[in-house]
Amino acid sequence: MGGLARCCICPALAAIFAASPCAAQVAAPPPATQTPPTVVPRVLDRATPDNTSLAVSLGTQRARLLVAGEVAIDTPVSTGKRRAPTAAGEYTVAEKLPEHRSNLYGDFVDREGRAVRSGVSTRIDAAPSGTVFRIAPAQFYLRLSPGGPALHAGRWPGYPAADGAVRLPADIAPIVYRNVKPGTPVKIGE
């Protein structure tokens, strides 16, 4: 694809753009920067699975763990990208799993186990020749109901990059996991 920077478009369109004079203008979006997580110890110390709730903002890519309505944790997240957006709504935690393994999301790896393509969905991504699918575990997994997305530890680049889920920073996910229970309210909105 010539001098194109890493691109967010399909290979067929990339080939068309590479042949056009405006190819230099097509590039991946710059990584977004977000304020790091904030933990308020005096509030978090009062947290129990009975007095907590979660609020996720799709617009700001932030989540808050609330203790009796007061912010205990304010953290960046990564929600669903355009092809698989995170559904807004009011949910409850339906299930807690320390580690979840989905047969839908993972990486295509070569014979040596090196990732050729990461963060793929078996629903929509085709395996490159000579690769196999490797399941990506999701740690500190919180399944939401009814039919809602899940929250779990994962990569959070500062913009929507997940496949419908809400990814939490690896150091924040276990704190949230410990302080919620099945039935904990979760609101996902703009």
Side-chain angles (χ1 to χ4, degrees):
M1 287 196 295
L4 275 180
R6 194 165 162 224
C7 198
C8 298
I9 55 179
C10 73
L13 287 176
I16 292 167
F17 279 111
S20 74
C22 66
Q25 297 172 12
V26 179
T33 52
Q34 284 195 326
T35 306
T38 303
V39 177
V40 183
R42 70 171 180 74
V43 178
L44 188 59
D45 288 346
R46 296 192 324 257
T48 69
D50 293 317
N51 69 0
T52 58
S53 63
L54 289 165
V56 177
S57 169
L58 300 170
T60 62
Q61 295 292 288
R62 307 276 309 171
R64 291 186 170 134
L65 175 70
L66 304 166
V67 175
E70 197 172 350
V71 176
I73 297 174
D74 179 11
T75 183
V77 296
S78 183
T79 61
K81 53 191 161 194
R82 246 184 233 184
R83 75 175 185 189
T86 302
E90 295 194 20
Y91 304 97
T92 58
V93 173
E95 181 180 28
K96 290 175 61 172
L97 299 169
E99 183 171 289
H100 172 72
R101 293 191 173 269
S102 167
N103 59 356
L104 296 177
Y105 305 108
D107 305 322
F108 290 128
V109 297
D110 63 17
R111 289 184 185 152
E112 286 79 37
R114 294 180 302 231
V116 173
R117 284 186 57 204
S118 296
V120 300
S121 167
T122 58
R123 285 190 222 164
I124 56 176
D125 296 306
S129 179
T131 65
V132 295
F133 179 72
R134 178 178 59 198
I135 292 171
Q139 295 183 314
F140 305 108
Y141 186 85
L142 302 170
R143 183 185 313 275
L144 304 184
S145 68
L151 285 85
H152 59 80
R155 187 176 65 85
W156 47 278
Y159 53 85
D163 280 312
V166 177
R167 296 181 193 158
L168 299 162
D171 57 340
I172 295 297
I175 302 169
V176 170
Y177 184 87
R178 269 192 314 270
N179 286 290
V180 301
K181 68 176 185 175
T184 296
V186 180
K187 182 175 183 176
I188 300 175
E190 289 305 313

